[in-house]
Amino acid sequence: MNGRNTPIGRIIMSVLRTPQPEEAAVLSDLCLRSKAIWGYDEAFLEACRPALTLTADDWTDSDLQVATDGERIVGLAQVRGSGNHVELDKLFIEPEARAAGIGRRLFDWCVAAARRRGATVMTIDADPGAADFYRRMGAVDDGVVASSVIPGRFLPRLKVDLGSGTTA
Ligand SMILES: CC(C)(COP(=O)(O)OP(=O)(O)OC[C@H]1O[C@@H](n2cnc3c(N)ncnc32)[C@H](O)[C@@H]1OP(=O)(O)O)[C@@H](O)C(=O)NCCC(=O)NCCS
C-alpha cells in the first residue's frame, strides 16, 4: 500500500490485486479513458478500442494486475509472452489517479511478473506520450515499431534488461 497526492489533491491509498474475468468491461473502459489523456480524437480512440478490449483469453495467456482505491480500479498492468523476451502489453492509469505513484508500482509489478516468466528482456511498444515515463523507470530506447492500429504510425520501442537484476 502507498499514498501520494494526486493532481486533484486527494491521497490515493492503492492496493494491488489480480483482477477477475468479470471485470473485463470495466478494465477495457479504463484503458480507453486513460489513452484519451494524450488528446487523441474520437476516430483514433475508436480505432484503438479492439486492442484495448480485454477478453477471457487475457486471463489465460497473460499476467494481469490492477491497482485499487477502495472498491474502484484505478490502474491496470499486463505482461505477456514467454521465453527470454516478454512484453509489457498494457499499463493504464485512471486519469485522475495519475501522478500518485501508481504507474511506478504497476511497472515494478510488470518487472517482477516478467522475471517470474523467466524473461531476460521486457519490451514496451509505448504510446509516445508515455515514453518518458518508461525512460524514468529505467527502460532504454530500442528503435521504433509500426503501430498495429494505424498504418504508417510508428511507436517508440523501449526495453528493460532483466538479466542484471536491475531495471537499467
Ligand atoms: C504513463 C502513465 C502510466 C504514468 O503513470 P502515473 O501513475 O501517472 O506515474 P507515477 O505517478 O507512478 O510516476 C512515476 C514517475 O514517473 C514520472 N512520470 C510520470 N508520467 C510521466 C511522463 N509522461 N513523462 C515523464 N515522466 C513521467 C513521474 O513524474 C514520477 O517521477 P518521480 O520518480 O520523480 O516521482 C500514466 O500517465 C498513464 O496511464 N498514461 C495514459 C495511458 C498510457 O499512455 N499508458 C502507456 C501505454 S504504452
Side-chain angles (χ1 to χ4, degrees):
M1 194 180 281
N2 74 333
R4 265 174 71 176
N5 266 315
T6 65
I8 58 169
R10 193 165 70 77
I11 293 174
I12 291 180
M13 303 296 290
S14 63
V15 175
L16 303 191
R17 68 165 170 84
T18 303
Q20 299 302 311
E22 296 74 32
E23 294 173 306
V26 169
L27 298 176
S28 305
D29 288 348
L30 183 156
C31 291
L32 269 177
R33 277 195 303 277
S34 179
K35 184 88 176 172
I37 63 151
W38 305 124
Y40 297 123
D41 63 26
E42 285 300 318
F44 178 86
L45 290 171
E46 208 44 52
C48 293
R49 185 185 290 275
L52 299 182
T53 298
L54 283 92
T55 69
D57 288 347
D58 288 292
W59 272 262
T60 57
D61 64 12
S62 72
D63 292 330
L64 293 161
Q65 193 75 179
V66 294
T68 59
D69 173 28
E71 294 294 303
R72 191 171 183 219
I73 295 174
V74 291
L76 166 71
Q78 181 176 36
V79 171
R80 68 169 72 248
S82 58
N84 287 342
H85 169 201
V86 301
E87 184 185 358
L88 189 165
D89 193 320
K90 292 184 180 65
L91 179 55
F92 290 100
I93 309 301
E94 189 69 56
E96 64 266 35
R98 286 185 302 141
I102 299 170
R104 180 190 287 279
R105 290 189 72 208
L106 284 173
F107 181 87
D108 289 346
W109 174 85
C110 290
V111 169
R115 288 206 171 103
R116 279 195 299 275
R117 283 185 167 245
T120 55
V121 175
M122 179 174 75
T123 58
I124 309 145
D125 297 345
D127 188 291
D132 276 347
F133 163 79
Y134 292 117
R135 294 180 186 114
R136 177 82 182 136
M137 296 299 103
V140 296
D141 286 274
D142 190 30
V144 295
V145 60
S147 164
S148 59
V149 176
I150 305 289
R153 183 175 190 248
F154 289 87
L155 304 174
R157 171 166 283 180
L158 296 103
K159 67 175 181 181
V160 178
D161 177 3
L162 305 167
S164 63
T166 73
T167 57

